[in-house]
Amino acid sequence: MTGVTQLRQHSLPQHVAIIMDGNGRWAERQGKPRVWGHKKGVEAVRRSVSFCRELGIQSLTLFAFSSENWRRPEDEVSTLMQLFLMVLQKEVKALHKHNIRLKIVGDLSAFSDKLVQSIRKAEQLTAENTAMTLNIAANYGGRWDIANASRKLAERVQSGNLKPEQITEALLGSQMQMAEQPELDLLIRTGGDLRISNFLLWQAAYAELWFTETLWPDFDQQVFSEAIAAFINRERRFGCTGAQIRELAAANNNKG
């Protein structure tokens, strides 16, 4: 029995989330403006989406812009918004071609009408795709998510359609972002910091956490494979290696 054949019998994570940290520091080390790092980070996004698609992972959630990121310098925030719009318009056709559904999670009320329209258009185009779901967390915060879900239930209580004693963890969870998707299995953070920074607080309750010093623009299949191998070894006690993960991805890609 080969390593890949044996690996197929063990469960890969079905929902992976990544805090994409280190774009600015990567650019500074290259002697370039921080925005250069954000642009290079888009390439790492493409690599990660492609790798998850090859492995058959059902959901990938990327932390693109937190609710705290508005505190950054105005020119950087403006550039990030422009980059977000440009990437949406440029990448959505490729996602659609590969049968990937795009979902933007977060509070969209702070975005421009043009950006919101672009988001809705991209989501509508890819809504019926089934190979995997790419969630982009934009203006998202874990506390906001919990408060938003609580507000929805409070409105039902106020209208008389729900009694307070009927509120359960499951009911509250059903109002969270991405409630219809697999539970989060693996949360990765690049860039060296050992915290989750208000990301997916509810969803990460039982997720495995994996941190790397690698800055986001340098995050590639090798590093991603190491994270997934660590997850499998923790969860299944199976001596899997990053090389086996990449071999499995290549085998699945060849089948497609």
Side-chain angles (χ1 to χ4, degrees):
M1 180 182 291
T2 67
V4 168
T5 303
Q6 192 175 6
L7 179 56
R8 290 182 194 279
Q9 298 173 356
H10 295 77
S11 119
L12 293 165
Q14 292 307 299
H15 189 167
V16 177
I18 307 177
I19 300 174
M20 306 179 293
D21 197 14
N23 288 337
R25 281 174 286 160
W26 184 91
E28 289 167 357
R29 291 177 186 180
Q30 313 297 318
K32 296 183 180 294
R34 288 175 60 85
V35 66
W36 179 257
H38 295 306
K39 291 179 178 178
K40 292 295 289 185
V42 174
E43 297 176 13
V45 169
R46 292 193 191 105
R47 291 194 296 267
S48 297
V49 172
S50 177
F51 194 49
C52 286
R53 175 73 171 81
E54 291 165 3
L55 282 173
I57 291 171
Q58 292 183 30
S59 295
L60 172 65
T61 302
L62 302 178
F63 204 7
F65 191 85
S66 78
S67 50
E68 287 81 17
N69 284 156
W70 295 107
R71 302 171 188 167
R72 294 187 177 188
E74 185 176 346
D75 58 341
E76 183 175 350
V77 171
S78 176
T79 299
L80 281 171
M81 292 299 102
Q82 293 173 17
L83 182 61
F84 189 17
L85 180 60
M86 181 192 73
V87 170
L88 264 179
Q89 295 171 339
K90 184 177 180 181
E91 301 293 333
V92 67
K93 289 183 180 179
L95 294 175
H96 188 47
K97 178 181 177 181
H98 289 93
N99 196 25
I100 297 172
R101 178 171 73 118
L102 177 66
K103 183 177 177 64
I104 308 300
V105 297
D107 182 5
L108 305 186
S109 64
F111 294 148
S112 68
D113 290 341
K114 184 177 181 180
L115 181 52
V116 171
Q117 289 173 8
S118 184
I119 288 171
R120 296 308 183 204
K121 185 177 179 180
E123 288 182 327
Q124 184 176 8
L125 176 65
T126 63
E128 302 302 320
N129 293 341
T130 57
M132 68 172 282
T133 299
L134 172 61
N135 304 294
I136 302 295
N139 197 26
Y140 175 89
R143 291 177 177 176
W144 166 85
D145 197 357
I146 295 170
N148 187 55
S150 301
R151 190 179 304 111
K152 292 177 183 177
L153 295 185
E155 290 171 353
R156 289 173 59 183
V157 171
Q158 188 177 41
S159 66
N161 295 321
L162 182 69
K163 295 179 180 180
E165 58 268 24
Q166 293 177 309
I167 298 175
T168 62
E169 287 186 16
L171 185 59
L172 182 59
S174 72
Q175 304 301 308
M176 297 288 174
Q177 303 282 295
M178 304 179 295
E180 80 288 359
Q181 298 180 45
E183 289 194 16
L184 182 63
D185 293 315
L186 173 62
L187 175 59
I188 298 168
R189 179 169 187 150
T190 65
D193 287 335
L194 306 180
R195 57 178 181 270
I196 62 174
S197 296
N198 194 25
F199 185 45
L200 301 180
L201 298 180
W202 180 274
Q203 294 86 346
Y206 293 102
E208 291 292 325
L209 307 182
W210 194 83
F211 302 94
T212 176
E213 295 285 339
T214 302
L215 302 179
W216 177 246
D218 292 328
F219 190 81
D220 56 16
Q221 287 192 0
Q222 180 173 343
V223 183
F224 206 162
S225 297
E226 292 170 2
I228 294 175
F231 168 84
I232 293 174
N233 292 338
R234 292 178 193 176
E235 289 292 292
R236 308 297 175 185
R237 303 296 182 235
F238 174 63
C240 172
T241 67
Q244 286 178 305
I245 297 295
R246 294 192 293 279
E247 186 182 350
L248 177 60
N252 286 342
N253 192 37
N254 289 335
K255 284 196 308 182

